[in-house]
Amino acid sequence: MARQFWLMKSEPDVYSIDDLARDTSTFWDGVRNYQARNHLKAMKKGDLAFFYHSNATPPGIAGICRVVREAYPDSTAFEPESKYYDPRSDPDQPRWFMVDVAFEEKFDAPVPLPSLKELPELEDMVLLNNSRLSVQPVKPSEWERILQLA
DNA sequence: GCCAACGTTGGC
DNA sequence: GCCAACGTTGGC
């Protein structure tokens, strides 16, 4: 089974690539969108993901992380005091999931969103066509092309 | 801070 | 099952 590629968004004010570098690894909690959740569940150990900084100036791809633990229930959904609390998620049949990712690489300079938009090879990228999806697949050709920019 | 895009909720 | 209202994301 070939390794798959992904893109995961985080607001750097909340959690940045530098935070991940410092922590070495982290759990990716708080995803509350079904499409994004389905992508999380499809991730396999060893898959690589671009770490995207949203709501940044400029927004862009800051580095790479690696999946080190496959999807398991997002416990923050069961915690009333958590901002990710969802009373509809039943511990016996969890609605939301998270994965663990490890720091892989920080780009010398982030690849800014405007640069991605300039490339015709990337015009079908999910990022450029569904700007709200926080966990999304990346095609191998797109992955390679972006690595050239980084 | 504004607002377009779009996912979710809930009345009917 | 439709769709209006509403909330959130995220670029600018």
Side-chain angles (χ1 to χ4, degrees), chain A residues 30-120:
Chain A
V31 169
R32 296 291 179 270
N33 167 284
Y34 291 103
Q35 243 187 302
R37 178 205 64 183
N38 292 343
H39 291 317
L40 285 180
K41 291 176 86 168
M43 289 181 176
K44 296 295 178 194
K45 203 169 172 178
D47 284 358
L48 296 176
F50 285 132
F51 194 112
Y52 181 87
H53 281 171
S54 60
N55 271 314
T57 47
I61 298 170
I64 296 173
C65 58
R66 180 169 33 91
V67 177
V68 292
R69 182 177 174 189
E70 295 175 11
Y72 58 104
D74 183 343
S75 54
T76 62
F78 312 133
E79 300 164 358
E81 63 281 5
S82 168
K83 66 170 173 170
Y84 299 126
Y85 179 57
D86 182 354
R88 297 165 306 173
S89 186
D90 174 356
D92 291 330
Q93 202 163 2
R95 178 177 300 217
W96 305 117
F97 289 80
M98 55 188 176
V99 298
D100 289 356
V101 297
F103 177 76
E104 184 80 14
E105 178 183 353
K106 178 187 177 182
F107 295 152
D108 294 333
V111 179
L113 181 60
S115 301
L116 300 175
K117 288 181 176 171
E118 281 172 13
L119 297 179

Side-chain angles (χ1 to χ4, degrees), chain A residues 9 52 54 113 126-134 136:
Chain A
K9 294 183 189 173
Y52 181 87
S54 60
L113 181 60
V126 178
L127 181 69
L128 306 181
N129 293 283
N130 181 355
S131 63
R132 296 188 45 183
L133 188 59
S134 65
Q136 51 183 260

